[in-house]
Each structure stands twice: as C-alpha cells, then as structure tokens.
Amino acid sequence: MVGNWIVPARKLPAFVLLGALIMTGCSDDPPPPAKQSALKLDELLGNSSATPANDVAAGFQSPIRLRLITNHGVDFVHQSGNSDERPFPAANGSGVGAIDYDVDGRPDLFFANGASFPIDLSKRQDTDGLYRNVGELQFQDVSALTNVAHAGFSAGVAVGDFDHDGFPDLYVTCFGENCLYQNQGDGTFVELAARAGVNEKHWGTSAAWFDVDNDGLLDLYVGNYGIWDFQDPDTHKFCHGHEPHIRIFCSPTSVDPAPDFLFLNRGDGTFEDISQSSGIAARMSRTQGVLATDFNNDGWIDLYLGNDMHANSLFINSGQRTFRDDTEGSGMGYSSEGKAQAGMGVAAADINHNLDLEVFVTNYMGENNNLYQQVQPGRFRDQSVVQHLAADSLSFVGWGTAFVDLNLDRWNDLVVTNGHTDDNKPNQPYAQPAFVWQNRDGRFQKISTDSGDFLKNLRVGRGLIVVDLDNDGRQDLVCSNVGQAPDLVRNETPDTKAWLLTLEGRSTNRDAVGATILVESEAGKTIHHISGGGSYLSQHQLRVTVPFEPGRVKATIRWSHDQTSEINLEELPINQELVVRQ
C-alpha cells in the first residue's frame, strides 16, 4: 500500500489532508459561434426506412439536460477532403482531444483536420486546431503559437505525458506520417516523431497511450486502417451504388488492411517497435477504435480494437510485454449473429455495479451497435437487443461513443454520435442525430429529444469526448464533425454534486492510465477505470467524476498490479478538482 497527496487544483488555496495535497481553475474573453446543421430532426426521421419517426424521437423524459454552446470562440471548421473523386480517408473524418496543455486546470481542445487530395503539405489554410480554455466557456485559437498547426490529413488524437515531466504531450495519427508533439512547458510544442521513432507512415486511425509493462512510462499503440493511394487506380477505385454513374465511397472490403504498431517507451525520448515480439501483429485488421484498459482485473492493461469488416480484436496482456489473442474465445469479436461488423467507436465501463467491464461498439447502418456484457470472467455476450440498444442504431451510422454518468446517479449512461459516410445516397441522410440512453438501474432507455438541442440538431458526427469544459462537476461533451464546425455541449442537468479526482502517478505512469478507483458507500460499490484511447479517433479527459453520496465513502485506488491506496472521500470538498498524487 502507498500513500497519497491530495491537492485542490490550481488557483485555490491549497490545504494538506492525510499526507496529501489538492488544486483548481479560472477565466477570459469571447468569439464566433459554431455552425449547426440546417436540417430538422423530423425531416431525417421521416426519411428513415427502418425506424418510424415517432419511435426514434420519443424516448422518455429524463432530468438530463444537454445544451449546445454557441459564441464559444472555437472557429474551427473541419476540412473533410471529400470531392467528386471520393477519396476514401475523407469518409472517416477526424477526431478531437481534451488536453490541458498549459496545466492551468482548464481542459483545452485539440481538433484534428482533414485535407484535400492529393495532399500538399505546403498548403497552410486548413490545419489542425488547438484552442485554449480561458474560462467561462470561452476558447482562444493558439494553434500557430503552440506549433501544432499540421497541414496534412490528420485523423486520430492521443494525449499522454510520455516523458513524465508533468506536461501532457500529443500524438496525432495521419494519412501519411504521424506527428508526436512534445510539450515544452512554456506554451509550445516540438514535433519529434522521427527522432523518437514513432513517425509511422500508414493510414493512421485511433491511437492510445498506456503502460504495457508497468514500468511507469507510457507506451503507444497506433491503429492503422488500410493500404490506399489516391494516385493508384488499383486501390482508389471507381465505386457506385444503385446508379452506375454516381460515384460513392468504396466498401471497406476494397481496401487491404494495414498493420498496427506497438511502441515501447525506452525512457530516453525514443521508442522501440515491439509489434512483432508482443504478438499484436499476428492479427491484421482495418483498425478504427482503440481502447486500452484492464479487462480481466489483473493489474495489466489489455487492448480492444474496433475493426472494420474484421472481427474486433481482444489482446490480453501477459505482463511480459506480450499479449494473448483472445478474440475468438472472448465473444467480443462478432455480433450476436456471428458476423464481423464495421467496428468504429469503442467504450467500456461497469454498467450494472457487478464490478466487471461491459464493452460497447458502434457500427454502420444496417448493423446494430453491440453491447458486450460479461457472462462469466473473460467471456462476453452481445446483449444489445436485450438492452434495447439494437433497433435504434439500425438506420444510422455510429462513430464516437462514451459511457458517462451524465446525471451523477451512480449509473453510467451511454452517448453515440452518428453521421453517414456518403452525402449522395437517396433516402440515407448525411447529417444524423446523436443518441443518449440513460442507465436506469442497469437497463438502458433512450431519452427524449426534449432533453436538449444537442439531441434535436443533426450533424455528420465522428469523434466524441467526455470533458468538463467549465469545471462545474458535470461532464460535458464535444463532438467533431465532418466538414463542419464541432459541437460543444454543456451538461446542465440540475442537482448534481461530485468529487472530481485527477490521479497523478509517480512510480506508475504520471497520467495513471490503467488505474482503477473502487468506491464503497452505503449504496454499494462502483468502479472507475482510467483507460487509454476509447471513442473514435479521440481522447477523453482522464479525470474521474465520483457522484456525491452522504455518509462514509471510501475510495481504494489501485495504481498498478501491486500498488494500492485509500481515501475517505467524505472528508474532501465536492465540485472541485482534486489532484491525488501517488
């Protein structure tokens, strides 16, 4: 067992408690509004052939309130890269990441951007965007000032303090050479992917920082999609649907998969490629979602991949820098009908307080999204139909997703953002609604569009993250959209209180990726996992939000397979970020 320092986050007077420190946040000015889809929800639902409009729009009246923020200063608009040529990467979009790059206690936002084909890196008009959170739900564009304004086709975002210096670093996957931005601690980044040995050059998708061997250093998993070249007619083919003269995006099966990579952090600013020796290279798939978390509760971080038209992969960490492929035996590779599906966004959480992880995967229209529940240790079954999650997804293309306790009632709710790949398919709307299912005692129920304009507006959604934008204790959402401005969504659910815990590892990795927090109270036990990756091409904020409960509430933190510590939460302030140092 180890001790903790608990510190109220920056800007508030610190106080010492039980051999522990504590820290918080602050504010500044405004700018322009995000653009929203002009279509109406009932128009889309009227076009849906598989799901009647009243069934989708209905849902039950929930106390959850989700409002789109406007006039927030984020003037970023995604460049899809789409054209009459239908370049395949343009269909898949780009992600978004939460990163407190200046360590002021307020989460900043990084948006990956696409580019037109053929890619010209000398063009500077469409670049990635980093927006500094200056407080009061206002953001300032600092992309150029911080040196992260990449002009290529960027896709995935992963945030992690790989050099253990207290400043979060940024990895961006691209169609082409990936970027590693090292945070200098002075408000700027230096790009050093080539020097570090992680300048992977395939068609990058999602990535995740996590500690493979529990040595205290973050390692890096890089997912790749396929082998495709805009100039090569053998890979960039003319594909059409019902109308032979109308070009659409080709099927994923037209693209051969590209290999994924696992890079081991040497601790000297460089990485070693252990893709082959670790065993992850044995299974080749078109990777879209990457999630690094401890599925079997042994203190070693495992890997789960959402794969396009291949079985989703589960790799169990042996603790020896190697992984065992448990895809076939786990039950999480296929749908309930035994089919490989689109495998896009991925999420995991304990949804029924049995302290086991459940896994959710989004898919293409005509395929329902999957909810895999553990039926025995390490064995899962697709329960999406039983949980009333299947029918709602059949007419929509699902991407980013997250389990998140939106109303702080101790039950993890579920969010999915949707959007089509093609904008020229009859009766298949391009912009689509997002869905929220409230978890009611372990059963999901879709909430009504009356719960806020986030659920009424349509978007061509891709990435989705959970992040507390205003540090009020309620978890907000940010969605990245194809060819559109992003959506910043404020959670205005009333009567919410929580303990806000940011773990800071010392002997373990500084971001505490892989740690778990077991909360015990009179109401029972809940578990919170700090995972690497998740959603689709995106990076959630890593802070853990523990709903307030009266009486004695004990939190047991397992930092790694052999280190734990305890905190009495009832002694700590609520709705204030607490930095728990190992």
Side-chain angles (χ1 to χ4, degrees):
M1 181 170 291
V2 295
N4 307 292
W5 285 89
I6 306 174
V7 199
R10 24 241 153 222
K11 309 296 184 193
L12 288 186
F15 63 92
V16 178
L17 179 72
L18 293 177
L21 289 153
I22 308 186
M23 313 163 125
T24 342
C26 173
S27 112
D28 257 318
D29 29 70
K35 298 173 184 175
Q36 302 298 335
S37 168
L39 295 176
K40 293 184 173 60
L41 181 61
D42 54 0
E43 293 179 88
L44 168 57
L45 298 174
N47 285 334
S48 171
S49 58
T51 313
N54 56 351
D55 287 347
V56 176
F60 81 101
Q61 298 295 319
S62 167
I64 294 172
R65 293 290 175 266
L66 300 172
R67 178 178 65 85
L68 288 169
I69 308 168
T70 57
N71 300 316
H72 43 56
V74 177
D75 56 1
F76 177 85
V77 177
H78 181 258
Q79 154 68 288
S80 70
N82 196 7
S83 69
D84 291 342
E85 294 286 312
R86 300 298 177 191
F88 203 141
N92 292 354
S94 307
V96 55
I99 174 172
D100 183 7
Y101 83 96
D102 52 359
V103 196
D104 67 352
R106 294 183 296 243
D108 311 304
L109 297 173
F110 179 87
F111 297 95
N113 206 353
S116 57
F117 287 84
I119 293 172
D120 181 355
L121 293 178
S122 67
K123 291 183 178 178
R124 306 300 302 175
Q125 69 269 33
D126 296 308
T127 64
D128 298 340
L130 178 59
Y131 288 80
R132 180 171 179 258
N133 186 338
V134 295
E136 304 299 325
L137 296 172
Q138 294 298 310
F139 293 81
Q140 293 177 341
D141 185 352
V142 293
S143 316
L145 292 173
T146 53
N147 304 320
V148 297
H150 179 247
F153 194 104
S154 300
V157 182
V159 177
D161 184 2
F162 81 87
D163 53 4
H164 211 88
D165 66 352
F167 293 92
D169 308 301
L170 179 65
Y171 190 77
V172 181
T173 65
C174 304
F175 180 82
E177 191 164 329
N178 296 345
C179 300
L180 173 61
Y181 297 103
Q182 184 184 46
N183 193 331
Q184 301 301 290
D186 60 0
T188 66
F189 292 81
V190 171
E191 202 291 307
L192 43 67
R195 195 188 324 163
V198 291
N199 57 328
E200 228 290 290
K201 299 180 178 66
H202 285 85
W203 175 356
T205 54
S206 296
W209 293 102
F210 74 110
D211 190 351
V212 171
D213 51 2
N214 283 345
D215 66 350
L217 297 171
L218 284 176
D219 309 301
L220 179 64
Y221 191 94
V222 179
N224 286 306
Y225 190 83
I227 309 298
W228 184 88
D229 185 343
F230 183 74
Q231 311 287 2
D232 181 0
D234 288 337
T235 61
H236 181 40
K237 302 170 183 176
F238 187 105
C239 297
H240 63 84
H242 296 298
E243 301 292 334
H245 61 285
I246 297 179
R247 187 169 190 165
I248 63 173
F249 287 109
C250 292
S251 163
T253 56
S254 70
V255 175
D256 291 332
D260 290 356
F261 287 82
L262 178 57
F263 295 103
L264 187 73
N265 190 339
R266 294 190 179 108
D268 61 359
T270 67
F271 292 77
E272 175 189 353
D273 181 357
I274 61 167
S275 311
Q276 295 292 335
S277 62
S278 66
I280 65 99
R283 179 180 286 271
M284 283 255 292
S285 304
R286 300 178 201 91
T287 302
Q288 298 203 95
V290 174
L291 178 65
T293 198
D294 184 3
F295 285 101
N296 58 357
N297 202 35
D298 65 355
W300 299 90
I301 307 178
D302 312 305
L303 286 164
Y304 185 69
L305 313 177
N307 300 319
D308 201 354
M309 304 306 292
H310 292 100
N312 299 322
S313 306
L314 177 63
F315 293 105
I316 299 298
N317 192 335
S318 70
Q320 304 296 318
R321 298 183 181 175
T322 60
F323 290 82
R324 172 175 56 85
D325 186 345
D326 198 25
T327 299
E328 304 299 328
S330 68
M332 289 200 292
Y334 305 92
S335 71
S336 57
E337 297 175 343
K339 296 179 180 178
Q341 299 194 132
M344 296 178 179
V346 291
D350 175 17
I351 65 169
N352 52 13
H353 296 171
N354 66 356
L355 307 184
D356 289 329
L357 282 174
E358 280 73 41
V359 177
F360 186 77
V361 184
T362 58
N363 292 301
Y364 203 76
M365 65 181 299
E367 308 169 333
N368 63 267
N369 297 336
N370 307 119
L371 175 68
Y372 297 104
Q373 291 189 256
Q374 289 200 56
V375 291
Q376 55 182 299
R379 296 297 172 257
F380 295 77
R381 181 178 297 150
D382 182 1
Q383 297 286 77
S384 50
V385 173
V386 173
Q387 282 281 7
H388 306 293
L389 295 170
D392 288 326
S393 60
L394 282 172
S395 297
F396 302 93
V397 182
W399 300 89
T401 185
F403 286 113
V404 50
D405 186 357
L406 291 167
N407 57 351
L408 296 177
D409 65 352
R410 297 176 66 250
W411 298 89
N412 282 301
D413 309 305
L414 178 62
V415 186
V416 173
T417 187
N418 300 299
H420 212 297
T421 51
D422 290 276
D423 59 3
N424 60 351
K425 286 187 174 180
N427 302 317
Q428 294 183 19
Y430 190 44
Q432 300 182 352
F435 291 147
V436 174
W437 290 268
Q438 185 174 329
N439 186 339
R440 309 183 82 190
D441 299 331
R443 290 288 191 182
F444 288 101
Q445 192 166 357
K446 188 160 66 64
I447 68 176
S448 163
T449 54
D450 291 339
S451 295
D453 53 3
F454 171 61
L455 299 177
K456 291 179 180 177
N457 282 41
L458 307 181
R459 62 194 52 79
V460 190
R462 292 299 184 265
L464 179 146
I465 61 171
V466 175
V467 52
D468 186 354
L469 295 171
D470 51 2
N471 280 330
D472 68 350
R474 291 173 289 200
Q475 298 180 86
D476 308 306
L477 307 170
V478 178
C479 298
S480 63
N481 303 315
V482 170
Q484 299 173 325
D487 288 313
L488 277 64
V489 184
R490 187 172 191 232
N491 183 351
E492 296 184 342
T493 304
D495 303 323
T496 52
K497 299 176 183 177
W499 291 283
L500 313 177
L501 307 180
T502 297
L503 302 192
E504 186 178 297
R506 294 300 175 90
S507 61
T508 59
N509 71 87
R510 194 177 182 99
D511 295 333
V513 174
T516 60
I517 302 176
L518 176 66
V519 178
E520 300 175 78
S521 69
E522 292 181 7
K525 296 180 180 180
T526 58
I527 193 163
H528 304 264
H529 288 249
I530 299 179
S531 304
S535 191
Y536 174 75
L537 305 180
S538 297
Q539 172 74 57
H540 301 295
Q541 183 181 28
L542 294 183
R543 188 166 75 188
V544 173
T545 300
V546 179
F548 171 79
E549 299 176 58
R552 178 172 168 76
V553 183
K554 183 178 76 171
T556 301
I557 302 170
R558 188 184 66 184
W559 297 90
S560 70
H561 67 294
D562 60 356
Q563 296 188 56
T564 62
S565 57
E566 292 181 358
I567 300 172
N568 292 324
L569 290 178
E570 73 273 10
E571 299 173 357
L572 302 180
I574 59 172
N575 290 0
Q576 174 181 324
E577 182 182 16
L578 307 174
V579 177
V580 183
R581 292 178 177 160
Q582 186 181 14

